[in-house]
Amino acid sequence: MRNGMYTDRERCARAVRSKDARFDGWFFTAVLTTGIYCRPSCPVVPPKPENMVFQPSAAACQQAGFRACKRCRPDTSPGSPEWNQRADLVARAMRLIADGVVDRDGVPGLAARLGYSARQVERQLLAEVGAGPLALARAQRAQTARLLVETTELPMADVAFAAGFTSVRTFNDTVREVFALSPSALRTRLPRRTTSLPAATPGTLVLRLPFRAPLNPDNLFGHLAATGVPGVEEWRDGAFRRTLRLPYGHGVVALTPNPDHVGCRLTLSDLRDLTVAISRCRRMLDLDADPVAVDDQLRTDPLLAPLVDKAPGRRVPRTVDEAEFAVRAVLGQQVSTAAARTHAARLVTAHGDPVDDPEGGLTHLFPTPEALAAVDPDSLAMPRTRRATLTGLVAQLVGGKLSLGVESDWTQARERLLALPGFGPWTVDVIAMRALGDPDAFLPTDLGIRRAARDLGLPSTPAALTARAAAWRPWRAYAAQYLWATDVHPINFLPV
């Protein structure tokens, strides 16, 4: 297990000596003699072991006075997989910080969302991550600022505002402290290094989203494209495109799979949403996963091993909006993919907020729970029982009795979902897998999974399959992707 790996000096030193990119984001190497910090795969000659200090986060390195390496750019590492595979307080706090909650609502707002005191949250984060919420948010602002400096021609004052700084002076001081360069020197030194395409549309940024290899894009992008809601999502010119509802405005993103990164083209109505938009896109594509750990565990089952060896690195397609996905899960109960898309498209056209998309065919944001709560149930073209299920879900979301956001307690959310009328194990598990992000969510009653299990020689009854799947824990959601991928359904293939 790699949790707390940075405390194992020998393992960390081995990873640094071998320049193992799999550990980028798991820990950071601070070098006492140079005052800089690096990712494990930094291409420079490794320092002597006695000169290395290992830290769990970039924020901890910065708080200790170390500057980011100009060669390996550790601030651009994939995020630690720990925060997306756990449901404890620290993991929930890290997900909220990545979603920009500290910048918008401060530490009191973060603590309130978590249901703990600010002091408790601070103490837990310091103990495990080596930095408190303010330092973690500051490190994130610095990373966003660097991204904007290097990939846009925005004036520095606009960069500071978009990255979440309260003043240009604080922005300048932070960039100098973290990167040992002024913002203008940072722009001159690496002119548009991460830009691959011109951003012709105002408010558009083009950047790269890193991930840990391997990544198999087939079922990931195939699922998102095949289940896409017309007007909200589309596949166009080799990219998955969708609209985004964000804290300060809205956006449109185009995500393109590439061998060593995911191309990301973001058009935002308010640049303050950049950090949140990136975080949500990374979460939807499961880019912070550790595919080596997942696949190694699944290979221990001799009947799953051939599937893993054939196409390693499958990810779990998730969502940018948990409430939206829960609504779509209800619309998809006991109907085909095409029928679910049709039901969702009707809701979008009637109740979604319209947006302009000069580069494609997107027309709306998915309706909010508040907008759906105002819908006359009799106007919904679906069976009466499903209408009741949908309205019950929406009422819980609007009333605040059900939280499905990144801060949610997975066990509590499951219990509250199961208590709603019309919610059985399949619906709850698919929401847990794709909205809550539980890497161990499993759907033993799903017909596709049962059929794949039978064809592979695995048990196919729900009880027996659940017993066999115990050996796949804590990665049963990934096992489900490998099982589903044995079918010829369009969700398993990149669109042509």
Side-chain angles (χ1 to χ4, degrees):
M1 186 170 82
R2 297 184 187 176
N3 181 24
M5 176 182 171
Y6 71 99
T7 61
D8 188 335
R9 288 188 54 82
E10 181 53 35
R11 289 184 68 195
C12 289
R14 285 201 305 270
V16 171
R17 286 195 297 270
S18 63
K19 304 185 187 303
D20 195 334
R22 293 176 301 169
F23 293 96
D24 289 353
W26 275 105
F27 70 90
F28 296 83
T29 306
V31 185
L32 297 173
T33 51
T34 62
I36 65 170
Y37 71 95
C38 304
R39 59 171 79 199
S41 65
C42 184
V44 302
V45 176
K48 295 179 180 179
E50 59 266 27
N51 293 328
M52 294 189 287
V53 176
F54 303 109
Q55 298 280 12
S57 66
C61 294
Q62 294 169 19
Q63 191 162 271
F66 293 91
R67 304 184 307 275
C69 175
K70 298 172 184 177
R71 182 85 177 268
C72 71
R73 300 160 58 89
D75 54 305
T76 63
S77 300
S80 172
E82 286 290 305
W83 316 133
N84 286 339
Q85 71 189 42
R86 288 164 39 184
D88 55 54
L89 171 61
V90 169
R92 291 159 58 205
M94 292 297 287
R95 292 197 290 268
L96 279 173
I97 293 169
D99 206 50
V101 167
V102 172
D103 288 336
R104 294 193 300 275
D105 304 324
V107 176
L110 172 69
R113 292 276 292 272
L114 293 167
Y116 288 81
S117 71
R119 180 177 295 180
Q120 286 174 304
V121 174
E122 177 98 21
R123 186 170 61 247
Q124 293 262 5
L125 286 171
L126 281 170
E128 185 160 346
V129 191
L134 289 176
L136 289 161
R138 177 179 180 269
Q140 184 166 272
R141 284 195 297 275
Q143 181 180 346
T144 302
R146 180 177 197 163
L147 182 68
L148 289 170
V149 166
E150 295 182 348
T151 65
T152 75
E153 298 298 334
L154 285 174
M156 293 302 178
D158 291 348
V159 169
F161 176 70
F165 290 95
T166 55
S167 72
V168 174
R169 179 176 180 177
T170 304
F171 158 68
N172 287 330
D173 291 346
T174 299
V175 170
R176 285 193 182 96
E177 183 180 335
V178 173
F179 304 115
L181 290 169
S182 68
S184 57
L186 198 61
R187 178 168 280 175
T188 302
R189 182 176 180 272
L190 295 168
R192 312 194 56 97
R193 175 173 174 171
T194 57
T195 304
S196 56
L197 291 171
T201 304
T204 296
L205 306 171
V206 181
L207 51 138
R208 298 180 175 207
L209 303 183
F211 56 76
R212 292 178 185 82
L215 182 145
N216 187 313
D218 295 359
N219 74 298
L220 176 61
F221 285 88
H223 198 120
L224 295 171
T227 60
V229 177
V232 174
E233 299 164 310
E234 68 174 1
W235 182 266
R236 181 183 291 264
D237 299 329
F240 173 71
R241 305 180 74 249
R242 72 153 292 151
T243 59
L244 304 170
R245 187 182 296 277
L246 299 164
Y248 295 105
H250 66 270
V252 172
V253 66
L255 298 161
T256 307
N258 291 291
D260 61 347
H261 70 278
V262 172
C264 177
R265 183 178 177 85
L266 265 172
T267 302
L268 301 172
S269 63
D270 191 318
L271 283 175
R272 288 178 295 175
D273 283 323
L274 175 62
T275 300
V276 177
I278 292 173
S279 173
R280 293 183 184 178
C281 289
R282 293 190 63 82
R283 184 168 168 80
M284 176 175 66
L285 299 180
D286 198 17
L287 296 185
D288 290 325
D290 181 359
V292 174
V294 172
D295 290 350
D296 283 352
Q297 176 68 22
L298 299 184
R299 281 191 184 98
T300 61
D301 190 312
L303 296 182
L304 275 187
L307 300 183
V308 177
D309 292 337
K310 180 181 178 182
R314 292 197 183 276
R315 301 302 208 267
V316 178
R318 295 198 170 118
T319 182
V320 294
D321 188 317
E322 295 83 7
E324 172 192 315
F325 184 83
V327 169
R328 290 170 61 172
V330 170
L331 297 178
Q333 287 177 332
Q334 300 177 336
V335 299
S336 67
T337 298
R341 295 178 72 221
T342 299
H343 287 314
R346 288 174 183 156
L347 281 183
V348 165
T349 302
H351 308 288
D353 298 322
V355 297
D356 293 325
D357 177 24
E359 298 184 357
L362 304 179
T363 59
H364 290 81
L365 301 173
F366 197 87
T368 63
E370 290 74 15
L372 294 175
V375 176
D376 179 2
D378 291 336
S379 68
L380 301 174
M382 61 183 69
R384 185 179 299 274
T385 53
R386 193 149 320 126
R387 282 187 235 160
T389 301
L390 180 60
T391 55
L393 168 66
V394 168
Q396 292 286 308
L397 291 169
V398 171
K401 295 180 180 178
L402 174 64
S403 172
L404 299 177
V406 293
E407 77 280 11
S408 61
D409 180 295
W410 294 345
T411 301
Q412 185 181 79
R414 282 175 178 272
E415 291 171 351
R416 292 185 176 175
L417 285 168
L418 275 171
L420 294 176
F423 275 78
W426 184 92
T427 305
V428 172
D429 285 332
V430 79
I431 292 173
M433 179 187 293
R434 296 196 53 203
L436 298 179
D438 183 353
D440 201 38
F442 193 55
L443 290 81
T445 62
D446 181 85
L447 292 179
I449 287 179
R450 293 179 62 190
R451 184 164 52 242
R454 180 200 63 205
D455 293 345
L456 286 172
L458 291 164
S460 59
T461 62
L465 183 56
T466 298
R468 175 64 174 259
W472 308 338
R473 306 189 76 167
W475 309 118
R476 293 183 300 173
Y478 295 87
Q481 308 310 312
Y482 283 104
L483 292 171
W484 272 324
T486 61
D487 199 354
V488 292
H489 194 283
I491 63 170
N492 293 315
F493 303 94
L494 279 175
V496 292

